[in-house]
Amino acid sequence: MKSTYRKIPFSDVVVKTNKNAYWGRKWNLSDVIYFVVMLTLHLMCLFAPSTFNWKAFWVAAILYVVTGIFGIFLSYHRHLSHSSFKLPKLLEYFFAYCGVQALQGHPIDWVSRHRFHHKFTDTERDPHTPVDGFWFSHINWIFNTEYVIEKVGKRKNVGDLRKQFYYRFIHRTYLLHPLALGILLYKLGVGLSLCGAWE
């Protein structure tokens, strides 16, 4: 993979940008699925201005709070990655399930990557360092599932999660859960049926 090095303006930090982040490597099935899902979601946003309605807006706002704030920030990040506080198991599993719906990966993968990120912050082994470039640290790391293994090895830092049947089950069935939520929202009338352009 070819790299270019450049200095961030008004800073002494040198950033390495991978030129062939998409086309210069072999994609596995997970990479393709993530790419297709993200591309589809962003293409669908082109229809958003002409199909706006308040019901869909509030569903999106609530889902942001549930998946982003409760799922990723509170569960995946503060609770599972850093063990910042304790929760009863039922609440722990509920909040982790909210994170599953955010489409950022299953808890074992996300937590492992984040623990490695803190262990190797801004070094060559950091799985999503900004030193690899803004877009890579922001989102491109999601599309290259093998890259993390190349940098840090297997997920040996999440034994606490692997011991629990719940997290192993979510790992094996990960993509079914966001798909089920999409079908449920569609059946409740919050999906494409609300969009005049689709009727």
Side-chain angles (χ1 to χ4, degrees), residues 23-160:
W23 314 122
R25 65 181 179 84
K26 184 176 179 185
W27 287 57
N28 64 30
L29 183 60
S30 294
D31 297 337
V32 173
I33 289 171
Y34 277 122
F35 184 78
V36 169
V37 167
M38 291 296 176
L39 182 65
T40 303
L41 290 174
H42 285 84
L43 288 175
M44 289 175 73
C45 289
L46 296 174
F47 298 101
S50 62
T51 59
F52 177 84
N53 67 67
W54 284 105
K55 185 177 179 183
F57 172 83
W58 288 113
V59 168
I62 290 166
L63 282 175
Y64 170 75
V65 170
V66 170
T67 64
I69 295 175
F70 293 147
I72 299 299
F73 303 146
L74 182 121
S75 176
Y76 279 24
H77 186 224
R78 299 308 315 160
H79 183 256
L80 297 176
S81 295
H82 295 294
S83 303
S84 299
F85 55 92
K86 292 185 181 197
L87 285 173
K89 278 294 176 197
L90 190 58
L91 222 55
E92 173 187 329
Y93 293 159
F94 171 74
F95 286 136
Y97 194 77
C98 293
V100 168
Q101 300 298 340
L103 283 173
Q104 289 192 20
H106 54 81
I108 290 174
D109 182 49
W110 200 101
V111 170
S112 175
R113 184 178 283 125
H114 194 72
R115 288 176 181 175
F116 280 131
H117 167 64
H118 279 283
K119 184 175 182 179
F120 303 114
T121 302
D122 295 344
T123 68
E124 284 293 319
R125 295 188 70 195
D126 186 343
H128 50 83
T129 176
V131 174
D132 280 341
F134 171 77
W135 286 110
F136 184 82
S137 66
H138 176 60
I139 196 165
N140 287 355
W141 59 269
I142 292 175
F143 304 126
N144 193 343
T145 54
E146 296 298 320
Y147 185 71
V148 175
I149 294 171
E150 288 172 23
K151 281 192 156 202
V152 293
K154 299 284 184 187
R155 298 180 192 102
K156 294 180 181 175
N157 59 349
V158 282
D160 54 327

Side-chain angles (χ1 to χ4, degrees), residues 178-191:
L179 182 62
L181 176 64
I183 291 169
L184 176 66
L185 292 174
Y186 180 76
K187 291 291 185 187
L188 293 175
V190 187

